């Protein structure tokens, strides 16, 4: 009888099984790629439908958004929304923005990054503004209660505002940063949001004539916007009135301005009165402002009296007490504070006027904002 032989290991009968095992990882990888592709297109379709629904709700509320040549790309790991231009129209204002790209990683959908190349054009009543820049990036971190952080960074912003009295306002800066976050311990109860603004080498020529100094200014602002959560995307007048009725205030914890040899630091609080004008008060420390105060006050009291008032405000009312001996020098140093900044009288915004101590700043009227 013929005997049946077992296949020789590695022989022809064993080779097909070995080849299947060799290709199995590639088959699994292809299956995963097909599944991921389907999932990405599903997410893309869902994002597009959500966006269409949001645009429809905004249109019903009187806010029309237009994203020209809209497209969503970014396969395989992110979603990229691209608009050739972005336009917003509302009853009280309109704005348009140049090409915009918004990016969200599929594995981190709460973090969005935006890039815009401008230009930016805005119309608000009689005012028209145009702004350009060399680079603009923004980021937004969403959270279950709204957001955890938002930032805007701009290089080389430059623009002009038309329609202002008495004439156009030109402005420029080397760098701008704006950051916002919910105030720890106060966001849930008071709707408070911390806002930080940094402006490097800012220039407003119309203010140079007032200050008598053409040097650019470095501005730092740290503030808390109370009742920020009541603000929505309605008209400016409606949102400001809602904020005022909610007893919203701007709590300025630090304002620092350095312009040439002149420096100023301030902290205080500001809100809106019943006539919709700014009201509040600020504690100020400054250096090199005596001549400017004298110049401003001279418009009301005359040059001689104005210079005298500037000297009084800068020294006597500023709290510099001349005392003899070492004790006097120590007291003067304490009054001057860090960096030689001297305390000035309280600046008050009240009844549409700007008051520096007991004196009203001439030719300054605080108008209703809406």
């Amino acid at each position: 009888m013929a005997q049946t032989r077992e296949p020789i290991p590695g022989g022809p009968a064993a080779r097909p099984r070995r080849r299947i095992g060799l290709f199995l990882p590639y088959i699994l990888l292809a299956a995963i790629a097909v599944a991921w592709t389907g999932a990405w297109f599903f997410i893309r379709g869902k994002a597009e439908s959500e966006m269409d629904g949001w645009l429809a709700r905004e249109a019903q509320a009187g806010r029309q958004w237009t994203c020209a040549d809209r497209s969503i790309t970014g396969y395989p790991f992110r979603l990229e929304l691209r608009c050739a231009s972005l336009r917003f129209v509302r009853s009280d204002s309109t704005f348009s923005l140049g090409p915009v790209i918004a990016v969200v990683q599929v594995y981190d959908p709460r973090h969005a990054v935006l890039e815009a190349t401008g230009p930016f054009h805005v119309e608000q009543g009689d005012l028209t503004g145009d702004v350009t820049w060399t680079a603009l990036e923004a980021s937004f971190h969403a959270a279950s209660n709204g957001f955890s952080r938002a930032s805007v960074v701009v290089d080389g912003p430059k623009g002009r505002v038309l329609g202002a009295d008495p004439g156009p306002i030109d402005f420029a800066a080397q760098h701008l940063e704006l950051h916002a976050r919910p105030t720890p311990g106060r966001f849930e109860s008071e709707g408070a949001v911390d806002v930080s603004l940094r402006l490097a080498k800012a220039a407003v020529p119309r203010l140079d004539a007032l200050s008598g100094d053409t040097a650019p200014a470095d501005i730092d602002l740290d503030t808390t916007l109370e009742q920020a959560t009541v603000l929505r995307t309605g008209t400016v007048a409606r949102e400001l009135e809602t904020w005022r009725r909610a007893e919203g205030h701007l709590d300025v914890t630090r304002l620092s301005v350095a312009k040439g040899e002149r420096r100023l630091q301030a902290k205080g609080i500001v809100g809106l009165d019943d006539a919709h004008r700014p009201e509040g008060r600020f504690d100020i420390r400054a250096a090199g402002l005596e001549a400017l105060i004298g110049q401003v006050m001279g418009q009301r009291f005359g040059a001689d009296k104005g210079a005298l008032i500037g000297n009084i405000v800068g020294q006597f009312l500023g709290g510099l007490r001349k005392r003899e001996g070492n004790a006097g020098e120590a007291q003067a140093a304490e009054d001057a504070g860090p960096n030689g900044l001297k305390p000035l009288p309280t600046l008050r915004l009240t009844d549409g006027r700007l008051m520096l101590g007991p004196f009203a700043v001439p030719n300054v009227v605080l108008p209703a904002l809406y």
Side-chain angles (χ1 to χ4, degrees):
M1 293 180 62
Q3 295 182 350
T4 303
R5 294 183 178 182
E6 295 293 331
I8 300 175
R15 195 168 295 129
R17 288 199 298 268
R18 180 171 292 182
R19 286 178 179 174
I20 292 175
L22 196 64
F23 288 107
L24 185 59
Y26 300 99
I27 295 173
L28 292 176
L29 184 62
I32 293 172
V34 171
W36 179 256
T37 299
W40 185 89
F41 278 97
F42 173 79
I43 295 172
R44 176 185 179 276
K46 188 172 180 60
E48 201 159 23
S49 63
E50 289 285 342
M51 187 178 305
D52 289 337
W54 181 81
L55 291 173
R57 291 191 298 272
E58 285 288 288
Q60 290 178 353
R63 300 181 291 269
Q64 187 71 46
W65 295 84
T66 303
C67 172
D69 300 330
R70 188 180 78 181
S71 65
I72 299 180
T73 59
Y75 176 83
F77 298 117
R78 60 184 185 179
L79 296 176
E80 290 185 7
L81 169 65
R82 294 176 178 267
C83 301
S85 64
L86 182 65
R87 181 174 173 81
F88 172 78
V89 178
R90 196 173 59 187
S91 61
D92 65 331
S93 61
T94 65
F95 76 75
S96 60
L97 185 62
V100 178
I101 302 175
V103 178
V104 174
Q105 302 293 342
V106 173
Y107 52 82
D108 188 12
R110 290 179 176 270
H111 181 203
V113 177
L114 180 142
E115 295 182 2
T117 57
F120 176 76
H121 176 81
V122 60
E123 298 179 7
Q124 175 85 43
D126 296 331
L127 299 178
T128 301
D130 290 281
V131 186
T132 59
W133 52 82
T134 56
L136 184 152
E137 293 185 359
S139 67
F140 183 84
H141 295 258
S144 58
N145 60 348
F147 76 105
S148 61
R149 188 168 70 254
S151 301
V152 178
V153 178
V154 187
D155 288 329
K158 180 172 64 175
R160 163 174 279 202
V161 176
L162 300 175
D165 187 28
I169 301 175
D170 295 305
F171 59 90
Q174 183 183 86
H175 185 75
L176 179 151
E177 290 189 20
L178 181 65
H179 306 279
R181 64 164 189 174
T183 305
R186 298 178 59 191
F187 181 72
E188 297 293 343
S189 59
E190 303 174 40
V193 173
D194 291 337
V195 179
S196 178
L197 171 68
R198 301 287 181 267
L199 264 175
K201 307 300 181 186
V204 183
R206 276 184 59 177
L207 295 182
D208 292 342
L210 174 63
S211 64
D213 192 337
T214 59
D218 293 327
I219 302 173
D220 292 345
L221 172 66
D222 294 320
T223 184
T224 298
L225 179 62
E226 299 176 2
Q227 302 300 336
T229 52
V230 304
L231 298 174
R232 295 292 183 267
T233 55
T235 62
V236 173
R238 188 179 73 182
E239 297 305 315
L240 285 178
E241 180 62 11
T242 301
W243 183 69
R244 185 188 72 83
R245 290 181 177 273
E247 298 183 353
H249 288 88
L250 199 62
D251 186 2
V252 179
T253 55
R254 179 176 179 269
L255 171 62
S256 175
V257 181
K259 183 176 174 63
E261 297 298 323
R262 293 170 175 170
R263 288 166 294 145
L264 178 146
Q265 289 185 1
K267 62 179 181 179
I269 190 167
V270 64
L272 296 172
D273 64 17
D274 293 338
H276 308 159
R277 300 167 302 194
E279 69 170 359
R281 54 183 293 146
F282 291 90
D283 296 324
I284 301 174
R285 304 182 74 91
L289 295 185
E290 292 85 354
L292 175 60
I293 293 172
Q295 174 187 343
V296 172
M297 291 303 183
Q299 299 177 30
R300 176 178 179 183
F301 299 103
D304 294 337
K305 290 184 179 180
L308 177 61
I309 291 173
N311 185 58
I312 292 174
V313 169
Q315 297 185 29
F316 179 72
L317 291 179
L320 285 180
R321 295 183 291 270
K322 294 184 178 180
R323 297 180 180 177
E324 296 181 358
N326 294 332
E329 294 179 2
Q331 183 64 52
E334 181 181 344
D335 286 343
N339 303 320
L341 298 179
K342 305 172 185 178
L344 296 181
T346 299
L347 181 69
R348 292 181 294 119
L349 295 72
T350 179
D351 297 327
R353 296 181 300 171
L354 199 60
M355 305 290 296
L356 188 61
F359 305 108
V361 178
N363 303 324
V364 174
V365 177
L366 301 177
L369 299 183
Y370 56 97

